[in-house]
Short mmCIF file of all heavy atoms in Angstrom, two decimals:
data_model
loop_
_atom_site.label_atom_id
_atom_site.label_comp_id
_atom_site.label_asym_id
_atom_site.label_seq_id
_atom_site.Cartn_x
_atom_site.Cartn_y
_atom_site.Cartn_z
N GLY F 119 2.32 4.31 9.76
CA GLY F 119 2.16 5.75 9.63
C GLY F 119 3.43 6.48 10.00
O GLY F 119 3.81 7.48 9.37
N GLY F 120 4.14 5.96 11.00
CA GLY F 120 5.42 6.53 11.39
C GLY F 120 6.49 6.32 10.34
O GLY F 120 7.29 7.21 10.06
N ILE F 121 6.51 5.11 9.74
CA ILE F 121 7.48 4.83 8.68
C ILE F 121 7.33 5.81 7.53
O ILE F 121 8.33 6.31 6.98
CB ILE F 121 7.31 3.38 8.16
CG1 ILE F 121 7.83 2.38 9.20
CG2 ILE F 121 8.04 3.18 6.83
CD1 ILE F 121 7.65 0.94 8.80
N HIS F 122 6.08 6.10 7.18
CA HIS F 122 5.82 7.02 6.06
C HIS F 122 5.79 8.49 6.50
O HIS F 122 5.51 9.36 5.67
CB HIS F 122 4.50 6.64 5.38
CG HIS F 122 4.53 5.28 4.74
ND1 HIS F 122 5.42 4.94 3.75
CD2 HIS F 122 3.77 4.17 4.97
CE1 HIS F 122 5.21 3.69 3.39
NE2 HIS F 122 4.22 3.20 4.10
N ARG F 123 6.07 8.73 7.77
CA ARG F 123 6.18 10.09 8.30
C ARG F 123 4.93 10.93 8.04
O ARG F 123 5.01 12.10 7.63
CB ARG F 123 7.42 10.78 7.73
CG ARG F 123 8.72 10.06 8.07
CD ARG F 123 9.92 10.75 7.48
NE ARG F 123 11.15 10.04 7.82
CZ ARG F 123 12.36 10.41 7.40
NH1 ARG F 123 12.49 11.50 6.64
NH2 ARG F 123 13.43 9.73 7.74
N LEU F 124 3.79 10.33 8.28
CA LEU F 124 2.54 11.07 8.10
C LEU F 124 2.35 12.05 9.26
O LEU F 124 2.58 11.69 10.42
CB LEU F 124 1.35 10.11 8.06
CG LEU F 124 1.29 9.10 6.90
CD1 LEU F 124 0.02 8.28 7.02
CD2 LEU F 124 1.34 9.80 5.57
N PRO F 125 1.91 13.27 8.98
CA PRO F 125 1.58 14.21 10.06
C PRO F 125 0.48 13.63 10.93
O PRO F 125 -0.35 12.84 10.46
CB PRO F 125 1.11 15.46 9.31
CG PRO F 125 1.65 15.32 7.92
CD PRO F 125 1.71 13.85 7.64
N SER F 126 0.44 14.02 12.18
CA SER F 126 -0.51 13.45 13.14
C SER F 126 -1.96 13.53 12.66
O SER F 126 -2.73 12.57 12.76
CB SER F 126 -0.39 14.17 14.49
OG SER F 126 0.89 13.95 15.05
N SER F 127 -2.35 14.68 12.11
CA SER F 127 -3.73 14.86 11.67
C SER F 127 -4.06 13.93 10.52
O SER F 127 -5.14 13.31 10.48
CB SER F 127 -3.97 16.31 11.25
OG SER F 127 -3.08 16.69 10.21
N ARG F 128 -3.14 13.81 9.57
CA ARG F 128 -3.38 12.93 8.42
C ARG F 128 -3.34 11.47 8.84
O ARG F 128 -4.09 10.64 8.32
CB ARG F 128 -2.35 13.20 7.32
CG ARG F 128 -2.68 12.47 6.03
CD ARG F 128 -1.68 12.74 4.94
NE ARG F 128 -1.97 11.94 3.77
CZ ARG F 128 -1.06 11.49 2.93
NH1 ARG F 128 0.22 11.77 3.13
NH2 ARG F 128 -1.38 10.78 1.89
N LYS F 129 -2.43 11.13 9.76
CA LYS F 129 -2.33 9.74 10.21
C LYS F 129 -3.62 9.28 10.87
O LYS F 129 -4.08 8.17 10.65
CB LYS F 129 -1.15 9.59 11.18
CG LYS F 129 -0.92 8.15 11.63
CD LYS F 129 0.44 7.97 12.28
CE LYS F 129 0.54 8.70 13.58
NZ LYS F 129 1.81 8.36 14.29
N LYS F 130 -4.23 10.17 11.65
CA LYS F 130 -5.49 9.83 12.30
C LYS F 130 -6.59 9.61 11.28
O LYS F 130 -7.35 8.64 11.36
CB LYS F 130 -5.90 10.96 13.26
CG LYS F 130 -7.17 10.69 14.02
CD LYS F 130 -7.48 11.83 14.98
CE LYS F 130 -8.77 11.55 15.75
NZ LYS F 130 -9.09 12.66 16.70
N GLU F 131 -6.64 10.49 10.29
CA GLU F 131 -7.65 10.37 9.22
C GLU F 131 -7.47 9.09 8.42
O GLU F 131 -8.44 8.38 8.14
CB GLU F 131 -7.52 11.59 8.30
CG GLU F 131 -8.41 11.55 7.07
CD GLU F 131 -8.09 12.69 6.11
OE1 GLU F 131 -7.75 13.79 6.58
OE2 GLU F 131 -8.16 12.45 4.89
N ARG F 132 -6.22 8.78 8.06
CA ARG F 132 -5.94 7.58 7.27
C ARG F 132 -6.14 6.31 8.08
O ARG F 132 -6.54 5.28 7.54
CB ARG F 132 -4.51 7.64 6.73
CG ARG F 132 -4.28 8.72 5.69
CD ARG F 132 -5.13 8.50 4.45
NE ARG F 132 -4.73 7.29 3.74
CZ ARG F 132 -5.47 6.70 2.82
NH1 ARG F 132 -6.67 7.18 2.49
NH2 ARG F 132 -5.03 5.62 2.20
N LYS F 133 -5.89 6.37 9.38
CA LYS F 133 -6.10 5.21 10.24
C LYS F 133 -7.57 4.83 10.27
O LYS F 133 -7.92 3.64 10.16
CB LYS F 133 -5.60 5.51 11.66
CG LYS F 133 -5.72 4.32 12.62
CD LYS F 133 -5.13 4.68 13.98
CE LYS F 133 -5.19 3.50 14.93
NZ LYS F 133 -4.57 3.83 16.25
N ILE F 134 -8.43 5.82 10.38
CA ILE F 134 -9.87 5.56 10.36
C ILE F 134 -10.26 4.94 9.02
O ILE F 134 -11.05 3.98 8.97
CB ILE F 134 -10.65 6.88 10.60
CG1 ILE F 134 -10.42 7.37 12.04
CG2 ILE F 134 -12.13 6.69 10.32
CD1 ILE F 134 -10.98 8.76 12.31
N TRP F 135 -9.70 5.46 7.93
CA TRP F 135 -10.02 4.93 6.60
C TRP F 135 -9.60 3.47 6.47
O TRP F 135 -10.35 2.63 5.97
CB TRP F 135 -9.31 5.75 5.52
CG TRP F 135 -9.66 5.31 4.13
CD1 TRP F 135 -10.70 5.72 3.36
CD2 TRP F 135 -8.95 4.32 3.36
NE1 TRP F 135 -10.69 5.06 2.14
CE2 TRP F 135 -9.63 4.20 2.12
CE3 TRP F 135 -7.82 3.54 3.58
CZ2 TRP F 135 -9.21 3.32 1.12
CZ3 TRP F 135 -7.40 2.67 2.59
CH2 TRP F 135 -8.09 2.56 1.38
N VAL F 136 -8.39 3.14 6.94
CA VAL F 136 -7.89 1.76 6.84
C VAL F 136 -8.77 0.81 7.66
O VAL F 136 -9.14 -0.28 7.20
CB VAL F 136 -6.42 1.67 7.32
CG1 VAL F 136 -5.99 0.21 7.47
CG2 VAL F 136 -5.51 2.37 6.33
N LEU F 137 -9.12 1.22 8.87
CA LEU F 137 -9.95 0.35 9.72
C LEU F 137 -11.30 0.06 9.08
O LEU F 137 -11.78 -1.08 9.11
CB LEU F 137 -10.15 1.02 11.09
CG LEU F 137 -8.92 1.06 12.00
CD1 LEU F 137 -9.18 1.97 13.20
CD2 LEU F 137 -8.55 -0.35 12.47
N LYS F 138 -11.90 1.08 8.47
CA LYS F 138 -13.19 0.87 7.81
C LYS F 138 -13.03 0.06 6.53
O LYS F 138 -13.84 -0.83 6.25
CB LYS F 138 -13.84 2.23 7.52
CG LYS F 138 -14.30 2.96 8.77
CD LYS F 138 -14.98 4.28 8.43
CE LYS F 138 -15.50 4.96 9.69
NZ LYS F 138 -16.17 6.25 9.40
#
Side-chain angles (χ1 to χ4, degrees):
I121 287 178
H122 296 301
R123 300 180 180 179
L124 297 182
S126 296
S127 58
R128 189 179 175 211
K129 184 165 67 173
K130 182 178 180 180
E131 175 188 325
R132 292 297 294 164
K133 183 177 182 178
I134 292 172
W135 183 88
V136 169
L137 288 169
K138 291 182 176 180

